Amino acid sequence: MLLIRDIMYCKPGKVRPMVEKFLAMAKLSEKRGMGKMRVMTDVSAERYWTVVSEMEVPSLEAFLAMGQSSDDTKEFEQIMKGYHDLVDKGRREIYTIEG
């Protein structure tokens, strides 16, 4: 089992719109049977205005297969449209869940 964590460092005042995008992604992902996503905002982090999403997946292959249908891709793209205007930078972390 893997934990996929996306960390976004938002521009000032842009956390709420990014959270709304992640929550919409979480809703669509769960509806499509891709697993439950957690969305978190910082209380104290490396940088202010940090938004984190986490999802557990059985394998990297399963993660990469998510959203590969054309309908899913269109919906995901629509949800995330314009997100570059909300963030300074971001990164993805992938962890093996050991216990």
Side-chain angles (χ1 to χ4, degrees):
M1 184 71 71
L2 298 176
L3 175 75
I4 310 292
R5 179 180 293 154
D6 289 323
I7 302 166
M8 299 293 178
Y9 300 110
C10 296
K11 296 175 182 175
K14 301 299 181 183
V15 168
R16 184 54 40 199
M18 191 72 228
V19 166
E20 291 169 2
K21 287 185 177 297
F22 273 139
L23 291 176
M25 289 282 288
K27 187 175 180 179
L28 180 59
S29 294
E30 195 166 0
K31 181 176 143 184
R32 298 279 198 257
M34 297 178 188
K36 190 161 179 69
M37 180 188 293
R38 290 194 311 186
V39 179
M40 301 163 282
T41 57
D42 69 288
V43 173
S44 175
E46 179 184 344
R47 292 178 50 167
Y48 290 115
W49 309 299
T50 300
V51 180
V52 178
S53 73
E54 290 183 341
M55 177 185 284
E56 291 183 18
V57 296
S59 67
L60 193 53
E61 292 78 18
F63 176 70
L64 295 174
M66 290 179 181
Q68 291 299 312
S69 81
S70 61
D71 289 341
D72 290 347
T73 301
K74 288 176 187 173
E75 287 189 70
F76 287 126
E77 286 175 358
Q78 186 61 35
I79 289 169
M80 294 307 287
K81 183 178 181 181
Y83 89 94
H84 289 112
D85 297 332
L86 306 176
V87 299
D88 281 327
K89 65 180 183 174
R91 70 179 197 264
R92 175 171 287 153
E93 300 172 346
I94 302 175
Y95 297 96
T96 300
I97 298 173
E98 300 290 349

